[in-house]
Structure formats: structure tokens, C-alpha cells
Amino acid sequence: MCAVPVVALFAVVAAAPLPYSVAEPGITADVLGENKGKPVITLSGDAARDAAEAEGEGEGGKGGGGKGQLRMTTIAATPPDATVRVSDVVKNWFATDHAVMPRDAVYPVGGNTEEIKKYNADEMKQSQDEAVKAALSQLHLSSDDVKVSLRLADVGGPSAGLLFSLGIVDKLDGDGSGGGLTGGRTVAGTGTIDASGKVGAVGGVPLKTQAAKRDGASVFLVPKAECADARAELPKGLRLVPVTSLDGAVEALKALKDGDQRRVPSC
């Protein structure tokens, strides 16, 4: 007598939308290069001119003349208004190249798609402002010495902050000895940053490591607090370097370039 109602209940549950998003590895972008035909980082001012002259005009400053890359990483999630059902959760729960995440961990609670898009854009703008301040502070420069313009189309949120700061440092000062920070490597990473240079945690780190490896990275800078998450699905051949500050990230990259493994932290 109860079989039909129970079956009907399961059918309703299976069809009901759930408060989750399904995410996968997203795009990466080299902050030392171009995005959609335009430089991600543009410098002007006396300090910028000095950096360019150190390597020759058009070389992108002390750090920009090499073949290395600094790639920020992203995840790609189902849109905030997408319907995710039990079948989607079951299908992706154990997949290594997908993740099921609470929707409010990916998007701010409430708001329609346009409001969320604006929120993410505002977060990116604030992150860029903080990244510029952190980089100039690292180099003991002021905004009177150099003007920095950051452009990265179709990416929102604050998680590119660390890579923006590293890109600015690389272009203005490199390793401090006339070379770049990357040592010719493709270095990827993630992490928020504040004006003091403190690196903060982000979401979706296991998926970002996969995006990094897919796009040629051999080193991944990860907020130290997220080492365990990063190790969970770490692609073979990708080296994790935990960081807590911009200064620490710069020093770790210099050590990698110099081959001084004792100075390179590990998860």
C-alpha cells in the first residue's frame, strides 16, 4: 500500500533542484603576457621606464624578457541560475576532474545572475587595487613612481591577487639582478592578497592545480592553509610551493631559480 507513495517521493527528490554547483578546471592566464590581445599588466611612470630600459624597450621590464610565465588559475562552475539535481551530484561526486560544491561557496548568497556578476567584478577590482599596493610596497615604491593598469577579461573574484602582485614585481624588478622571477618556468598559482602582502585562502584549489598542469605549469603557488586540499588530487609533475605572503612567494621563486632547494618551502 505504501510502495507507490515512496516511489513517488523518490521521483520528486530526484527531480528537485539542489543548492549545489558543479565545477571543473577553468581557464588560466599568463599575467606577464596578453589576454584577448591586450597586456594584462601595463606600467607607466618613471619607475616603469627605468625597468624597461634595464632590459631594452619592448622587453616588458627586468622580469618580462624571459620565456617564463606566471599563470593565474580559475574554476568554471555551473551558472548561479542553473538547476543541479541528484543525478548531477551523483555523477560528479567522485570524479577527479569535477567537484560538487555548495552554491553559496561559489556565488554569494542571494541575488540574481546580474547582481552576482557585478559582485564578482567588484571583488576583482578590489583585489587588483590591493595587488598593486602590495607589489609597490614590496619594492618600496609609491604610486607617484609608477602607474599600474591591470586588465583580465571575463574573470571575477579576488583569487588572482597573488599572481597580479607577482607579475607587477616581475615586470618592475624581476629577481633584483636583471632576470625574471620564473627562471623560464611556467609557474601557476592562486591566492588572495591584501595591501600588506598577506596571502589568503581561496576555493577550488584541487581543480586549479589540474588547470595549471593542463596549461604547462611545473610549479604551483598555494596558500599554505590549503596544502592538504592541493595535495588531494595533485597532478603528477606539479610541485606545490606553500606561501603566506608576497615576500615569501618572491623569495621562493628566487630560490627555485637559483636551485637552492633548502630555501623552497613544501607542503
Side-chain angles (χ1 to χ4, degrees), residues 3 20 25 38 41 60 79 82 99-101 136 141-142 174 180 183 190 227 233:
Y20 292 100
K38 295 186 178 181
I41 300 174
V100 178
M101 307 170 67
L136 295 185
L141 294 172
S142 75
T190 189
C227 270
E233 300 291 346

Side-chain angles (χ1 to χ4, degrees), residues 10 12-18 84-92:
F10 276 114
V12 170
V13 170
L18 298 174
V84 175
R85 295 188 168 88
V86 169
S87 58
D88 300 308
V89 172
V90 171
K91 176 183 176 182
N92 292 287

Side-chain angles (χ1 to χ4, degrees), residues 163-175:
L163 271 295
F164 279 137
S165 287
L166 286 171
I168 296 166
V169 170
D170 189 85
K171 281 181 171 288
L172 282 171
D173 192 54
D175 64 359

